[in-house]
Amino acid sequence: MDQIAGRFSRVEPRATARAYLLGLLSRAERKNCWQLAEQAGLARPGPMQRMLRYARWEADAVRDDIRAYAVEHLGTDGGVLIVDETGFVKKGRASAGVQRQYTGTAGRVENSQVGVFLAYATSRGRALIDRRLYLPEQSWCADPERRDAAGIPDEVQFATKPRLAWEMIAAALGAGVEARWVTGDEAYGQDPQLRAALEACRTGYVMAVACSTRVWINQGRTPVRADTVTERLPATAWHRQSAGIGAKGPRYYDWAWIHIGSDRHRHLLIRRNRTTGELAFYLCWSPIEVPLAELVRVAGIRWSVEECFQAANGQVGLDHYQVRNWTSWHRHITLAMLALAFLAAVAASVAPERPPADPHRPARSSEPISLTVPEIRHLLTAVFDPPTLTAARLLHWSDWRRHHQATARRSHYRRRSTDEPTG
């Protein structure tokens, strides 16, 4: 809270934001305004709801504080910026940006919102440092009434997901985040404008692309599909290297790389699963020559953003919100990012200074693993959770919820009866 306290001009929203953050770090089952207010000992969720929607504070300014905080506690050589998106499955059509669209969270087309995120990953840890809510062009940007109902500012216009990603990358680099590399999946790697923008600012990238991507070989004279290049590679072109440490140890794959175009700093990187033979392709560029091992490291660190999403949803309630307004969405997401960055900073601060482990030798059975983000949150709840709620308080909240749900049910029934044909 010391990091962001100056962003609140009044003491009431500042105190509510602190209670909200403690609630996100608590063992509350669902981290929405109702349960967080109950966790904080409030009589109703009104203060939490007002803090998210009406109180005077800038979520983007707090986002800037989170970015600086993450760099301060996690920053080291070899930092990588990672762009990715995640979906938030929702009911109805009133939530800002919601529509039927594919989301990897559900693995299919669902009624959902999609957020594009920027993560910062180093050898000390990883955290989410920026976010953008994707606003579909036809169903939202071109519908003034729908925009107004969801509180979307007039200056917010349609932007593709790669464009949103570039805005966040440019902001991070402009704020002094030291990151020599950017990585992302096919949704971002296939965009030539994003790659060109990264090259223009002399930032290297390792971006996943489809197997059908056309590359230029023979010093830029011959166009060919990426998967066709693989068929022509000799056995000696493949090198076994680890893409990083996973839950079960080093993640070994076979890797090959070839120069493409006329630029010696431009490569096609190919990953082959040693068991299934499955292939993955990456377009790579760097302002200086780098070894294969460095490109492999950056390609492997992309999965850190998935770990961020998993921890953010499971530990600090990133996807637990029940808000529809544009401002409320950004404020909840930002506070959840701060809670996650705090846990990552604590984990980094207590990590023992040990030499790198030998992947070919098992760790000693007497040595515990380093404190993880879930374990740190579990320990913190024992310190920061308020005293056990009294029976009177439990009954008060039960009565409040049931009255509120009854009101919502009557409103729903009334709306349905109005919509039904009469004849």
Side-chain angles (χ1 to χ4, degrees):
M1 281 304 298
D2 286 344
Q3 192 78 15
I4 68 168
R7 303 301 185 180
F8 298 85
S9 59
R10 294 177 57 85
V11 67
E12 294 87 356
R14 185 186 310 132
T16 304
R18 181 181 186 277
Y20 198 92
L21 279 167
L22 288 175
L24 293 176
L25 293 165
S26 75
R27 59 172 64 95
E29 182 179 358
R30 293 292 298 175
K31 292 167 183 179
N32 53 49
C33 286
W34 291 15
Q35 293 210 11
L36 297 187
E38 182 178 8
Q39 179 77 19
L42 302 177
R44 55 185 58 84
M48 298 284 190
Q49 294 167 338
R50 286 194 297 274
M51 187 271 298
L52 289 183
R53 183 162 184 179
Y54 299 111
R56 296 181 62 183
W57 62 281
E58 292 296 330
D60 284 352
V62 174
R63 180 271 321 275
D64 294 344
D65 293 336
I66 295 170
R67 183 172 56 210
Y69 178 80
V71 171
E72 176 186 356
H73 292 277
L74 305 179
T76 186
D77 292 340
V80 177
L81 295 174
I82 314 167
V83 292
D84 202 2
E85 62 196 62
T86 189
F88 304 92
V89 177
K90 294 294 171 184
K91 296 180 180 179
R93 61 187 306 274
S95 299
V98 72
Q99 72 168 13
R100 287 191 60 79
Q101 53 193 326
Y102 177 82
T103 167
T105 306
R108 58 183 181 273
V109 174
E110 284 280 0
N111 195 62
S112 61
Q113 297 169 292
V114 171
V116 180
F117 287 81
L118 183 68
Y120 177 62
T122 72
S123 59
R124 303 195 67 207
R126 69 273 305 171
L128 300 174
I129 61 171
D130 206 346
R131 72 288 177 267
R132 296 286 193 279
L133 180 59
Y134 173 67
L135 202 62
E137 184 173 16
Q138 297 302 321
S139 60
W140 277 94
C141 291
D143 190 335
E145 292 185 5
R146 203 177 186 194
R147 289 173 58 108
D148 185 63
I152 298 172
D154 293 339
E155 62 269 19
V156 176
Q157 300 299 321
F158 173 72
T160 64
K161 295 171 186 175
R163 176 64 190 179
L164 296 176
W166 168 244
E167 290 176 0
M168 294 188 291
I169 293 167
L173 296 176
V177 177
E178 294 186 5
R180 290 177 49 197
W181 295 99
V182 171
T183 185
D185 65 14
E186 289 182 20
Y188 304 92
Q190 295 287 153
D191 189 272
Q193 293 181 336
L194 175 57
R195 300 197 308 268
L198 290 171
E199 293 179 22
C201 68
R202 308 290 291 173
T203 301
Y205 59 78
V206 178
M207 307 292 275
V209 293
C211 64
S212 58
T213 300
R214 299 184 71 82
V215 297
W216 294 80
I217 60 175
N218 297 328
Q219 297 185 340
R221 294 190 296 268
T222 308
V224 63
R225 281 173 54 116
D227 52 2
T228 303
V229 173
T230 307
E231 298 170 0
R232 302 177 182 178
L233 292 176
T236 55
W238 296 96
H239 306 272
R240 182 180 184 234
Q241 293 201 20
S242 170
I245 303 298
K248 300 180 180 179
R251 294 176 289 141
Y252 283 110
Y253 296 92
D254 289 333
W255 300 85
W257 64 332
I258 63 169
H259 291 293
I260 56 176
S262 57
D263 185 348
R264 295 291 296 174
H265 301 167
R266 196 179 305 276
H267 296 86
L268 173 67
L269 178 67
I270 309 166
R271 186 192 74 199
R272 183 175 67 189
N273 188 297
R274 297 176 59 83
T275 303
T276 66
E278 181 183 3
L279 299 172
F281 302 88
Y282 305 84
L283 290 181
C284 310
W285 179 87
S286 62
I288 59 174
E289 291 194 37
V290 296
L292 171 63
E294 179 68 356
L295 299 182
V296 169
R297 180 187 75 87
V298 177
I301 209 171
R302 184 175 71 84
W303 295 104
S304 296
V305 71
E306 301 295 343
E307 296 172 354
C308 284
F309 289 146
Q310 183 179 7
N313 291 332
Q315 302 300 321
V316 297
L318 183 78
D319 62 346
H320 291 194
Y321 63 89
Q322 293 179 340
V323 297
R324 297 175 175 176
N325 182 269
W326 173 271
T327 298
S328 301
W329 186 90
H330 284 85
R331 289 181 173 184
H332 167 82
I333 295 296
T334 302
L335 292 176
M337 286 167 47
L338 176 56
L340 180 66
F342 166 70
L343 292 175
V346 173
S349 70
V350 299
E353 294 293 337
R354 297 174 179 169
D358 183 349
H360 302 289
R361 294 182 57 189
R364 296 178 182 177
S365 59
S366 60
E367 293 182 355
I369 66 170
S370 299
L371 282 168
T372 61
V373 163
E375 181 64 19
I376 289 171
R377 188 185 69 86
H378 176 73
L379 294 172
L380 286 172
T381 57
V383 178
F384 290 110
D385 265 5
T388 303
L389 296 175
T390 64
R393 178 64 65 181
L394 288 170
L395 290 172
H396 163 82
W397 271 98
S398 175
D399 182 68
W400 190 93
R401 279 192 295 271
R402 288 181 290 111
H403 275 88
H404 189 93
Q405 289 162 351
T407 301
R409 177 184 294 177
R410 287 194 297 271
S411 176
H412 178 69
Y413 286 169
R414 189 180 304 115
R415 184 168 59 251
R416 286 195 61 181
S417 63
T418 303
D419 294 340
E420 289 177 356
T422 56

